[in-house]
């Protein structure tokens, strides 16, 4: 069985995520966050080291989603 940790996000972002996942296969905010993080990690592992441009793209996407200030 996997060990888990908690990640905090602002409540307004959590509400936006809940609205976004309605009608999808994601049953919770945690499901979506796990999916997104796995996608980033898998892409990173497939391509090796991230370039500065790739890192900036990921940062911009996370900022647009409200994860970063």
């Amino acid at each position: 069985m996997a060990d888990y940790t908690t990640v905090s996000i602002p409540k307004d972002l959590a509400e936006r995520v809940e609205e976004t996942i309605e009608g999808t296969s994601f049953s919770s905010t945690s499901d979506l966050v796990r999916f997104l993080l796995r996608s980033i990690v898998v892409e990173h592992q497939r391509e090796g080291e991230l370039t500065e441009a790739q890192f900036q793209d990921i940062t911009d996407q996370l900022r647009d989603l409200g994860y970063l200030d």
Side-chain angles (χ1 to χ4, degrees):
M1 185 151 115
D3 290 332
Y4 290 87
T5 189
T6 301
V7 175
S8 299
I9 60 173
K11 286 187 178 191
D12 63 326
L13 176 58
E15 291 169 359
R16 288 173 52 196
V17 170
E18 288 173 11
E19 291 172 5
T20 301
I21 64 174
E22 285 181 21
T24 70
S25 62
F26 297 107
S27 62
S28 67
T29 300
S30 293
D31 284 347
L32 178 61
V33 170
R34 276 191 299 273
F35 172 79
L36 293 172
L37 289 175
R38 279 189 191 117
S39 297
I40 291 168
V41 169
V42 166
E43 187 69 24
H44 170 69
Q45 289 174 335
R46 184 180 319 130
E47 294 183 6
E49 293 296 317
L50 288 175
T51 66
E52 184 64 31
Q54 290 169 316
F55 180 79
Q56 188 60 51
D57 187 45
I58 292 168
T59 301
D60 292 343
Q61 291 176 36
L62 290 172
R63 185 173 290 109
D64 290 346
L65 290 169
Y67 286 100
L68 303 174
D69 292 327

